[in-house]
Amino acid sequence: MRLETENARTDIDLAAGGRLASFVVDGRELLVTSDPSTFNWGCYAMVPFAGRLRDGRFAYAGRTWQMPLNMPPHAMH
């Protein structure tokens, strides 16, 4: 799957779990795009957040958001 704008393009490898397989900005590739190891190329978008959210809460735009506590007492990506 490819997403593209005038100055940027990203290729998403759906067969590899939605991995960003390529990310090109202004003609320059920003990712390692191949490697024999599945761990050494591309990247995964950590959305809606990366890592741990203390108590599963964060504030944005004047509002507090509560995420599911999937690793109590915190929320993990």
Side-chain angles (χ1 to χ4, degrees), residues 6-72:
E6 185 177 319
N7 299 322
R9 179 187 80 235
T10 187
D11 291 323
I12 302 167
D13 188 337
L14 299 176
R19 177 191 308 248
L20 296 180
S22 173
F23 187 48
V24 177
V25 177
D26 292 329
R28 183 174 182 185
E29 177 62 60
L30 301 177
L31 298 176
V32 174
T33 59
S34 65
D35 190 272
S37 169
T38 59
F39 297 106
N40 296 329
W41 65 276
C43 73
Y44 288 99
M46 304 295 262
V47 293
F49 59 91
R52 173 187 70 124
L53 287 177
R54 177 173 282 176
D55 301 319
R57 285 191 296 273
F58 67 96
Y60 176 75
R63 185 171 169 193
T64 298
W65 298 84
Q66 178 68 53
M67 303 299 287
L69 302 179
N70 58 352
M71 191 171 238

